[in-house]
């Protein structure tokens, strides 16, 4: 929209267009010559549960045991993490915080990158059940796969027993938080996000998901370009991680990962782009998409891979992902396309709240800028 206006009230967009009537008394900001985009979505990250890798007490991404479907990371989310402000200033306004470790890690949660406490920052709980698909090259592949299948079988048996109890057709069955958390997954309300990169992992995960009757999202998907027909036919989306990385195989070309999003788009596979899972690097997310644009992906599509597409894949599109009436006023004011290195993000709003843009990087810049200025003044 050229020369447009966005009007929002109480955190919601109430009007958007070229001829918007602004109510009297409304606060206005003239951003002529700037660009306005939806906030970027990091669809796989450990934001808020990972602070300093070398200090164990600040890292809360793994739980004891290998089957933990009931883990919800928002309960451990640290709203004062310095990584939140840094990522927010880079345009990342929603982080899908995800646990890791074991075979079934827990469930991811979409978190707003602004707020005083976790319950104020949560956008949506249980956006997906994280399953780390076993390595087909390991000696215990079949054993680990059987453990995943047994977990789903136990959850189904638990659901049947609880339904019978609630219908008065069976005796009381004790509550089990692990299997209780999996009922929405079994009912198709929550997707299973399977961390799988190799061809066999992806193919086995697809076969397994059909047997279990669950909704599947592939996470990682380094080899997904080799099974695009399968993914397209089954309508299985892919969340690509780490575009800005090299291939692990000597026989692959240097740009195998850079060009992966373009290959999936050309094949008609639904996808989103996420960076590495580590929270300290979340601010690099725009450049993951930028690298994809440099290697064949249309720039507009690359931007959608950080906004519209992840919102649709993870069931967040009723709140974020586009600038439409009724959706959250979560947006960026920039000098250009956010995926370009030269673009400056001048202001962000999260659910209508204006950020002060003072993250740790900017604080350090100002600190040492003052030191340089002092030395220059003494000369």
């Amino acid at each position: 929209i050229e020369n447009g206006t966005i009007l929002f009230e109480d955190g919601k967009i109430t009007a958007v267009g070229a001829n918007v009537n602004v109510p009297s008394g409304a606060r206005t900001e003239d951003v002529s010559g700037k660009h306005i985009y939806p906030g970027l979505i990091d669809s796989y990250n450990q934001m808020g549960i990972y602070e300093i890798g070398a200090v164990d007490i600040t890292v809360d991404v793994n739980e004891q045991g290998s089957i933990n479907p009931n883990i919800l990371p928002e309960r451990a989310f640290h709203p004062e993490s310095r990584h939140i402000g840094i990522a927010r200033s880079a345009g990342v306004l929603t982080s899908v915080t995800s646990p890791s470790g074991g075979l079934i890690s827990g469930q991811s949660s979409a978190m707003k990158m602004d707020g005083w406490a976790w319950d104020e920052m949560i956008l949506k709980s249980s956006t997906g059940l994280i399953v780390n698909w076993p390595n087909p090259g390991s000696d215990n592949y079949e054993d680990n796969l059987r453990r995943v299948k047994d977990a789903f079988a136990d959850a189904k048996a638990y659901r049947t027993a609880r339904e019978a109890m609630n219908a008065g057709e069976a005796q009381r069955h004790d509550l089990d938080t692990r299997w209780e958390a999996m009922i929405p997954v079994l009912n198709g309300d929550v997707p299973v996000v399977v961390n799988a990169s190799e061809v066999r992992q992806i193919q086995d995960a697809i076969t397994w998901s059909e047997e279990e009757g669950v909704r599947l999202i592939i996470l990682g998907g380094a080899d997904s370009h080799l099974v695009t027909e399968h993914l397209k036919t089954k309508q299985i989306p892919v969340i690509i991680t780490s575009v800005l990385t090299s291939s692990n195989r000597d026989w692959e070309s240097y740009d195998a990962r850079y060009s992966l999003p373009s290959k999936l788009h050309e094949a008609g596979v639904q996808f989103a782009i996420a960076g590495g899972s580590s929270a300290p690097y979340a601010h690099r997310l725009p450049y993951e998409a930028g690298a994809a644009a440099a290697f064949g992906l249309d720039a507009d599509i690359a931007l959608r891979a950080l906004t519209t597409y992840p919102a649709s894949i993870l069931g967040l599109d009723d709140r974020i992902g586009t600038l439409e009436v009724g959706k959250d006023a979560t947006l960026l004011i920039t000098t250009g396309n956010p995926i370009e290195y030269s673009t400056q993000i001048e202001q962000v709003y999260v659910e209508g709240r204006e950020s002060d843009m003072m993250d740790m990087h900017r604080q350090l810049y100002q600190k040492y800028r003052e030191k340089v200025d002092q030395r220059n003044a003494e000369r």
Side-chain angles (χ1 to χ4, degrees), residues 197-198 222 245-253 256-257:
S197 290
E198 297 183 5
T245 189
S246 58
S247 171
N248 294 325
R249 302 185 179 113
D250 293 339
W251 52 267
E252 285 187 315
S253 63
R257 298 297 291 274

Side-chain angles (χ1 to χ4, degrees), residues 173-243:
H173 193 282
D174 290 340
L175 177 71
D176 189 314
T177 56
R178 292 182 304 164
W179 310 140
E180 188 74 24
M182 288 185 65
I183 290 178
V185 177
L186 300 176
N187 292 342
D189 299 324
V190 174
V192 179
V193 181
V194 172
N195 192 349
S197 290
E198 297 183 5
V199 169
R200 183 180 172 187
Q201 287 181 305
I202 296 172
Q203 291 177 323
D204 286 358
I206 294 173
T207 301
W208 166 81
S209 69
E210 291 186 321
E211 293 173 351
E212 298 289 352
V214 296
R215 291 165 51 204
L216 177 65
I217 298 171
I218 295 295
L219 174 68
D223 285 349
S224 56
H225 63 292
L226 302 176
V227 289
T228 52
E229 280 301 316
H230 205 178
L231 292 167
K232 181 180 178 181
T233 301
K234 304 294 183 181
Q235 296 183 329
I236 297 171
V238 178
I239 297 176
I240 303 168
T241 55
S242 299
V243 175

Side-chain angles (χ1 to χ4, degrees), residues 111-148:
M111 307 298 294
K112 294 174 283 190
M113 301 289 272
D114 179 78
W116 288 99
W118 71 266
D119 54 345
E120 179 183 329
M121 298 173 74
I122 190 164
L123 180 70
K124 182 180 180 180
S125 182
S126 301
T127 56
L129 177 70
I130 307 296
V131 174
N132 298 303
W133 202 257
N135 181 3
S138 65
D139 294 335
N140 57 354
Y141 176 65
E142 294 297 334
D143 290 338
N144 284 332
L145 187 55
R146 188 176 301 110
R147 293 176 69 190
V148 173

